[in-house]
Amino acid sequence: MVSSALVLGVTAATVAVFTAIGLLAARGRVDSVEDFISARDSAGHGTVTATVVASMMGAWILFSPAEAGAAFGGLPAILGYAIGSTIPLLLFIPVGSRIRSVMPSGHSLTEFAYARFGPAMYLFVLVVSVFYMFVFLAAEMTGIAGALSLVAGVPQWQTALLIGGFVLIYTVYGGLVASIVTDTIQTLVVLPLLAVGFGGALVALGGAGEIHAAAIAADTPLLDPSFRPGIEFGIYVAFAILGANMLNQGIWQRVYAADGEVALRRGFGAAAVVVVPMILLAGLFGVAATALGLTGPDTASIAFFLVLEEAFPTWVTLVVVVLVVLLVMSSADTMFNAIASVVTADLARLVDADQRTLWLGGRGLTVAVALGAIIIGAQGYSVLQLFLTADLLAAAVFFPFISGLYTERLSGPGAILAGVSGIAAGVAHFPLLRAALATIPQVDGMLPEPSFLVAFAGATGASVAVTLVATALSDAGADLDAIDGRVRALDDPVADGGVERPSTAREESGQDDRHPAEDGGERR
């Protein structure tokens, strides 16, 4: 086992370096609440690619795909994870273009939900979205705390507090501007580190041929692409990831941060390609762990790190520690910013708050969310189970929500009914909630057979079916052209980064000297 002092030192150095980068990158560039939560039209396609990859690919890729490979179906389960991760990124190309056209001045998905469907659907989407993002954060903290505890015996609370605390510093200071800059650099570092880690594992374990032979000898279905349990896992995890990411405010922020249609298309398209090999490489560690007899019923979730502990020399272990820390930082700052942006934009609409109040509210919520995630992250829950629970709710809600972008007929009550129907269909079959449901009198005997596949397919299918019926039977007459006019601008100057932007004569006269969005949308 590597020295805990050495691992803590490497971790502290890594987070300190990137915290400094985030602080320096944001200094003088965050002049308003608008800058803090949207960084609108500021990222070219290369930056969009890097920040989307970094935002989505947190430390979970070293836990969940490997656990899927070790315990849920080998190679087809890993392929399902990879395909499921790339689908929402491709879908965000047309959906992102559409939201930039319908609501070019927007900041958050809940802002759209309120303007399009009304307060009830807004509250529904808010709860599901924030719950998912909080679970994402907690899972990241859980993952990194468990990883360093395994490889070096570092107490979980120390890891969660160290990483969460440093990320909080530059996130509270620089908002989305700091997050995008650090994401870009983290992606450039993470990709080669992942390749080094995988290459080091191959060498240490005797090469690809040796691992393949061991996998065949240990459990033939591991490498069988037609293995049914693996295929089923791949299908339902694709539903889970799709729904979750369509309600991920961190991705919505990056849609608005793209500096035009070309940057949006190229950036998200390239990210969709990049995430596939990352997940495949990480997932194959689960297959290797099972082939070597390292995993058991209670250890599949840490399969990647069991291989690390078994085969890697100290220097490779430290490389992987840096890799995991960067993955957590890149996704944690995204979630901190995303949750803060949702509440800040909503606060601006719901109350007549000045810019300073909005500023403090957004930063205060970031701190509260961070503390909650750090506390849960020190408890050691299963990363995959945390994600699946939140994903089920998102799978039931995303379709009626997205449909509001394309049809004026769907009403708020119809969208809510679709979401609730999907949740009911999913929860009834969801294995992780079976024990809780069984405690309700008269319910246990009525429950169907538990199945992740039926739960996620049922949640999405029921939601889609009710949405289509509700759209056909009603005509809400929503005016999509009027939605952007209900968005409050948040670009009044508020000093940050030690620099206060002086007002200009144009601003004082109420004129806006920014250019219209490239997609033709105008600020109102």
Side-chain angles (χ1 to χ4, degrees), residues 266-330:
R266 291 182 179 177
F268 276 81
V273 173
V274 170
V275 301
V276 172
M278 292 179 67
I279 293 176
L280 288 177
L281 288 179
L284 288 174
F285 277 91
V287 174
T290 300
L292 297 171
L294 301 177
T295 60
D298 299 324
T299 57
S301 64
I302 54 173
F304 180 97
F305 295 92
L306 292 174
V307 176
L308 175 70
E309 188 178 39
E310 173 75 14
F312 286 14
T314 299
W315 72 270
V316 177
T317 299
L318 294 177
V319 166
V320 174
V321 167
V322 174
L323 168 65
V324 181
V325 171
L326 293 181
L327 286 169
V328 172
M329 294 183 74
S330 64

Side-chain angles (χ1 to χ4, degrees), residues 101-175:
S101 174
V102 171
M103 197 173 73
S105 304
H107 310 90
S108 71
L109 71 169
T110 55
E111 199 172 42
F112 170 75
Y114 188 92
R116 172 61 181 84
F117 294 111
M121 183 62 174
Y122 151 75
L123 184 61
F124 194 26
V125 172
L126 174 68
V127 170
V128 173
S129 175
V130 172
F131 177 66
Y132 164 72
M133 291 188 290
F134 182 78
V135 167
F136 192 119
L137 263 176
E140 288 295 289
M141 293 301 170
T142 298
I144 186 62
L148 298 196
S149 176
L150 177 68
V151 302
V154 179
Q156 294 187 344
W157 70 268
Q158 292 183 12
T159 301
L161 183 61
L162 176 65
I163 296 178
F166 270 93
V167 173
L168 189 60
I169 291 172
Y170 72 80
T171 303
V172 167
Y173 181 85

Side-chain angles (χ1 to χ4, degrees), residues 192-208:
L193 285 182
L194 186 59
V196 168
F198 186 73
L202 283 178
V203 173
L205 297 173

